[in-house]
Amino acid sequence: MQQSLSGKAKTRPLTPANVTVGRRRWSERGYALLFLGPSLALLAVFIFWPMLKTLYMSFFLTDKFGHITVFNGLGNYRSLLQDASYWASLGATLSYVAVVAVLTIVLGLILAVAAQQQLKGIGFFKTLFSSTMGISVSVAAIFWLFAFNPSVGVFAQLSQALHLPEINWLADPHFALLAIIITTVWMNLGFTFLILFGALQQVPRSLYDAADVAGVAKRTQFLKVTLPMISPTLFFVTTVTLIDAFKSFGLIDLMTAGGPSNATNLLVYRVYQDAFLNGSYAQASTESVVLTLLIAVVTLVQFKLFGKRVTY
Amino acid sequence: MTIQLEQLAKTYADSEVPVLTDVSVEVADNEFFVIVGPSGCGKSTLLRMIAGLTSISAGQLKINGVLANDLPPKARQLAMVFQSYALYPFLTVAANVGFGLKARHFSAPEIQQRVAHALKMVNLTELKDRKPKALSGGQRQRVALARAIASDAKICLMDEPLSNLDAQLRARMRLELKQLQQQLGLTVIYVTHDQVEAMTMADRVMILNEHQVQQIDTPINVYQNPKNEFVAQFFGTPQINLLTATVTGHQLQVTPDFNLAVTRPLPEGTALCVGIRPNQLQFKLTSRNANARIQTVAYLGDKLVATARLSDDQAVRLVSAETTTLAPGDLIAITGAQQVVLFDNATGKLITTEQEVAARATIAVG
C-alpha cells in the first residue's frame, strides 16, 4: 500500500497520451529527415561543399591542377585589388548590370502597359513580346552574331542604307559591351514582360474606376495607382534582373569570349578564364568570393532602399 | 440634385444584343432610389453609365437639368461606392478617404479637415492610420463610405455596397446608410440584387430584368401592385404563389376543387395566372372539403412556412402564425385570400387585383 502510494507520487503516470506524443515527435523528425535528406545531400555535395571549398582556396596558392600548395592569408585578395585589369572588369560589370537592369525594367514595363490596351491583334504581340523566354542562350547568341555581323548583319545594312558610319559591333572595344547589353536586354524582356503584364492584370479595375470618379487624370493614375500596385512585382523583377546580370556568362562566352581587349570580360567570365584557361584556381576562387559579396551587398542595399516601400 | 434618364440605352460594339433599352426615370433631389434585378440584368451597367465609366449608346442623361452624356466622370460631381470598396491597399485609411481631393485642387488643410469630418461620420477616426488590410470587412466598407462623404458630392452612386458583409452587419448598415443619406441630403442611386435591401431602404425602386425596366414605384406599390409576374416573384419571401387557372362562370378554377370567386367579369374559358402571397392565403386544417395536402413544413420561430400540393399537383406556399398545428400529410382547405393578383398567362402582365376573395372547395382530395 505504502509502496504504491510513494510510487505514484514519484513518477508521472505513464498514460497512453504521453507515450504517443513522445513517439510522434521522434517519428515526425525522422520523417522530416527522410523527406529532406535527398535534396539536402544534393545541396551539400553540389552547392555547400564547393562554396566552402572556394572560400578555403581563396586563402591559399594552388598549382596548375588546382591542388593547394601554400597558405597565402589575404594575399590573393591584396593582389586582386591591386590588379588594374580587375578594376576594369569590375567597372565594366557594374555599368553592364546597371544599364541592363534599367533598360530591362523600363522596356518591359512599356511593353506590358502597351499589351494591356484593348486593341485588335494585341494577342499576337503578347505572344511576340514574351517569346524570348522560350529561346535558349545559344540560339539567341547565333541570331545576334548574325545581326551584328559587319558585312551581312541587319545593323550594318541599316547604317549603310542611312549612310551612317559603319560599326564593327563585336570587334570594337567601344561597342562590344553595348552589343552584349542589347542582347541581354532582349533576352530578359520576355520574362520581365510576362511577369509585369501579369501584375498589371492583377490590379483591380475598380481602383481605376474610383480614380476616374474622383477626377484623377490618367497619367497621374499610372503614378498613383498602377506603380504602387505593381511595386512588389517591380521589386522582384529588379532583384532577379540584377542578380542575373551579375551572373551573365553564356552570351559573353558565345559572342565575344571576353574580348575585344577585355572590354566584355565581366567578373563571372573572368573567373571562368582564370580557373579553366589560365589554371589560376586560387585567384579564381578569390574572385568568386568577391563577386558573391558584391551581389550580396547590392541585393541588401536594394532591400534596404526599396524593401519598405513595397510592402502593403 | 436631380438625375433624369431619358430612353437610355446601351449596346456594346461587339454584340447586337442591347444590354439596356429604353430606361427612363427622373430621380428627385434627396431621393433614395434603388435599382434592383437579378444578376446580368444590366443594373450595374446603368449605374456606370450614370457615373460616366461606361458610354451611353442612346438616350439622354441629365444631371440637375444639364445634359451629361459626354461629360467625364469628374465633371458629373458625384461620388461612387463600389462593391469591392476600391480601397488602395498601399494607402492609409485617411489617405484613402482623401484620395482624389488633391486632384480637385483642395488645399492641404481643407483636405485634412474633410477627411477628419468624413471619418468621424462613419466612426473610424481611431483607425485613420491603418492600412485597409488591417481592417474588417465592415470597416473597409465604412472607409469607402467616408471617401464618398469627403468628396462632398450631393449625388452618391452605390454598387452593391453591402453585399460583401455578413447578414447581421448588412442589416445594421442598411439603417446607417439610410440615416447618412438623410443627414447629408444626398441623392442616392443604389444598385442591389437583394429585394430586402430594396424594400427597406428605397424611396422608389426600379426593377430591371432582361435589359428592360419592369416597374418603377415605391416599395409598397411594387409589393402590392406588381406590374407583371416577374416583379411579383422578385419581391417577398416566401415567394408569391403563381397558379394557373381558367375562367369558368364567375369563378377562377385553379383545380376542380379549388375555385376563386372574383368579382370582375372575365371572358369565359381564358387561362390566367393567379398570384397569391403566401401570407395572404387563408386556409384551415380539416379533412372535410380539403383541397390541398401539406408537404413540407418549416418553423421560423414566429411563423411557419409550409408547402402544399393541390389536387393537380401544383405547389402552394403557405404561411401560418400558429406554429404547432401543421404537419406533413395534413389535409387543408384553402378558404380564400386577402388579395389576389391576376396576370395574363401569355404576357405575364397584370390584369387586375382583387381584395378579399373567397375560395370554395367542392370535392375532397383523395
Side-chain angles (χ1 to χ4, degrees):
Chain A
M1 181 82 181
Q2 241 193 344
Q3 236 184 351
S4 76
L5 265 178
S6 67
K8 253 184 196 169
K10 268 181 196 166
T11 57
R12 220 156 44 109
L14 208 62
T15 63
N18 279 334
V19 176
T20 44
V21 164
R23 263 189 210 150
R24 193 180 300 152
R25 211 164 274 159
W26 247 112
S27 65
E28 259 176 28
R29 271 186 204 159
Y31 276 122
L33 218 61
L34 197 66
F35 284 117
L36 290 173
S39 49
L40 275 179
L42 281 174
L43 280 174
V45 172
F46 292 106
I47 308 280
F48 300 144
W49 171 243
M51 265 170 71
L52 290 175
K53 187 76 191 276
T54 305
L55 187 62
Y56 179 73
M57 275 169 77
S58 72
F59 298 115
F60 288 85
L61 292 179
T62 52
D63 63 14
K64 281 268 175 218
F65 306 102
H67 298 308
I68 286 160
T69 52
V70 191
F71 180 69
N72 196 18
L74 291 171
N76 290 336
Y77 290 93
R78 211 173 296 127
S79 58
L80 190 68
L81 296 181
Q82 283 163 357
D83 184 350
S85 78
Y86 182 78
W87 285 102
S89 274
L90 183 66
T93 306
L94 290 179
S95 45
Y96 167 83
V97 167
V99 176
V100 162
V102 169
L103 283 182
T104 301
I105 304 293
V106 170
L107 291 178
L109 194 56
I110 289 173
L111 290 186
V113 170
Q116 268 227 314
Q117 310 307 312
Q118 305 281 331
L119 297 172
K120 260 191 184 165
I122 202 72
F124 171 73
F125 284 96
K126 279 183 212 164
T127 316
L128 197 72
F129 293 160
S130 47
S131 61
T132 61
M133 251 186 89
I135 291 175
S136 75
V137 174
S138 48
V139 175
I142 291 168
F143 170 70
W144 283 94
L145 276 176
F146 268 112
F148 288 127
N149 187 296
S151 46
V152 297
V154 182
F155 288 94
Q157 288 179 353
L158 209 68
S159 57
Q160 227 168 21
L162 297 172
H163 302 290
L164 293 170
E166 276 182 32
I167 299 167
N168 192 347
W169 285 89
L170 295 171
D172 187 331
H174 294 105
F175 289 97
L177 190 62
L178 184 59
I180 298 287
I181 286 174
I182 291 171
T183 313
T184 311
V185 169
W186 182 82
M187 279 293 283
N188 284 353
L189 267 185
F191 173 76
T192 311
F193 162 76
L194 211 64
I195 299 286
L196 289 178
F197 181 72
L200 286 177
Q201 294 286 86
Q202 290 293 310
V203 181
R205 282 298 320 160
S206 63
L207 294 186
Y208 296 110
D209 287 342
D212 274 340
V213 171
V216 180
K218 292 281 179 206
R219 202 171 304 164
T220 320
Q221 285 183 21
F222 183 78
L223 294 175
K224 297 265 168 153
V225 180
T226 308
L227 279 185
M229 285 304 285
I230 65 168
S231 61
T233 311
L234 272 177
F235 181 69
F236 162 75
V237 168
T238 313
T239 310
V240 170
T241 309
L242 280 177
I243 294 175
D244 258 10
F246 270 112
K247 300 193 319 189
S248 283
F249 177 80
L251 280 178
I252 295 166
D253 189 42
L254 291 163
M255 291 178 71
T256 60
S261 49
N262 282 338
T264 62
N265 198 7
L266 305 187
L267 291 182
V268 171
Y269 200 71
R270 204 186 161 87
V271 171
Y272 162 75
Q273 279 192 322
D274 280 341
F276 302 109
L277 301 179
N278 304 337
S280 322
Y281 291 96
Q283 200 186 331
S285 298
T286 313
E287 288 169 8
S288 295
V289 173
V290 173
L291 179 59
T292 308
L293 287 176
L294 190 63
I295 294 178
V297 166
V298 168
T299 310
L300 212 70
V301 166
Q302 215 220 337
F303 269 84
K304 280 272 180 240
L305 275 183
F306 303 109
K308 264 184 220 155
R309 288 187 210 172
V310 296
T311 42
Y312 59 73
Chain B
M1 297 288 257
T2 61
I3 301 162
Q4 278 168 274
L5 315 184
E6 289 169 13
Q7 295 170 326
L8 231 50
K10 177 70 192 174
T11 313
Y12 282 108
D14 52 359
S15 91
E16 280 163 30
V17 189
V19 182
L20 281 171
T21 50
D22 198 17
V23 181
S24 299
V25 70
E26 188 171 341
V27 179
D29 187 32
N30 205 5
E31 182 172 4
F32 202 112
F33 189 79
V34 174
I35 303 171
V36 69
S39 50
C41 70
K43 54 191 189 301
S44 284
T45 307
L46 181 57
L47 199 71
R48 292 177 64 86
M49 284 160 79
I50 298 169
L53 297 169
T54 299
S55 67
I56 294 166
S57 304
Q60 290 192 327
L61 167 71
K62 286 180 187 162
I63 295 176
N64 243 7
V66 180
L67 188 69
N69 278 35
D70 299 317
L71 287 182
K74 70 166 176 177
R76 303 188 185 199
Q77 308 224 329
L78 38 79
M80 190 160 175
V81 178
F82 295 85
Q83 183 177 6
S84 61
Y85 313 142
L87 301 183
Y88 300 97
F90 48 88
L91 296 178
T92 62
V93 166
N96 261 295
V97 173
F99 188 86
L101 290 182
K102 235 187 253 174
R104 296 200 167 180
H105 306 296
F106 287 110
S107 65
E110 189 168 4
I111 291 176
Q112 214 169 18
Q113 187 214 324
R114 278 184 179 223
V115 169
H117 171 70
L119 284 175
K120 204 175 157 201
M121 299 262 332
V122 297
N123 293 322
L124 275 184
T125 309
E126 300 90 68
L127 302 180
K128 67 179 165 52
D129 294 323
R130 287 217 195 154
K131 295 275 173 72
K133 207 168 71 177
L135 300 180
S136 70
Q139 290 166 337
R140 284 179 208 177
Q141 210 278 331
R142 283 163 189 274
V143 178
L145 271 182
R147 186 158 66 192
I149 296 169
S151 79
D152 213 19
K154 285 297 165 206
I155 299 174
C156 187
L157 309 179
M158 301 195 184
D159 190 0
E160 309 222 16
L162 304 184
S163 62
N164 288 344
L165 304 180
D166 64 65
Q168 267 188 351
L169 193 55
R170 203 181 310 158
R172 208 178 75 206
M173 285 307 292
R174 269 183 220 138
L175 294 176
E176 288 191 22
L177 270 183
K178 184 81 185 172
Q179 274 173 2
L180 209 60
Q181 178 249 344
Q182 281 162 355
Q183 217 174 330
L184 297 170
L186 294 177
T187 305
V188 170
I189 301 187
Y190 186 105
V191 160
T192 179
H193 63 268
D194 183 349
Q195 49 108 358
V196 179
E197 243 168 59
M199 294 290 273
T200 49
M201 300 173 83
D203 292 323
R204 279 192 304 159
V205 194
M206 171 195 277
I207 300 102
L208 280 178
N209 187 39
E210 302 201 321
H211 323 300
Q212 278 179 328
V213 178
Q214 305 294 318
Q215 189 168 357
I216 301 170
D217 216 327
T218 59
I220 292 177
N221 271 339
V222 164
Y223 183 78
Q224 291 186 340
N225 302 306
K227 265 193 173 172
N228 56 41
E229 286 177 20
F230 175 81
V231 175
Q233 280 188 303
F234 199 83
F235 287 91
T237 20
Q239 249 183 16
I240 193 169
N241 292 300
L242 292 177
L243 307 168
T244 50
T246 8
V247 181
T248 44
H250 288 295
Q251 298 206 323
L252 275 175
Q253 191 182 68
V254 181
T255 66
D257 52 10
F258 178 20
N259 298 292
L260 290 161
V262 288
T263 49
R264 183 178 158 143
L266 292 160
E268 180 79 17
T270 7
L272 290 174
C273 176
V274 185
I276 308 169
R277 301 251 172 227
N279 56 335
Q280 293 177 335
L281 202 63
Q282 295 149 345
F283 67 94
K284 61 183 184 205
L285 195 58
T286 173
S287 52
R288 291 186 55 187
N289 295 338
N291 52 12
R293 188 189 289 275
I294 298 292
Q295 267 213 318
T296 63
V297 176
Y299 295 96
L300 300 181
D302 59 334
K303 65 183 176 193
L304 172 158
V305 176
T307 58
R309 291 262 173 209
L310 300 177
S311 59
D312 67 346
D313 235 26
Q314 287 195 77
V316 178
R317 283 173 287 272
L318 310 158
V319 172
S320 164
E322 293 161 49
T323 53
T324 51
T325 47
L326 282 184
D330 284 354
L331 290 174
I332 56 164
I334 297 168
T335 56
Q338 283 144 21
Q339 186 187 305
V340 165
V341 195
L342 299 182
F343 297 106
D344 187 310
N345 221 359
T347 61
K349 283 195 177 141
L350 178 74
I351 299 169
T352 181
T353 58
E354 293 218 5
Q355 315 297 323
E356 299 304 331
V357 180
R360 273 209 330 224
T362 42
I363 312 156
V365 177

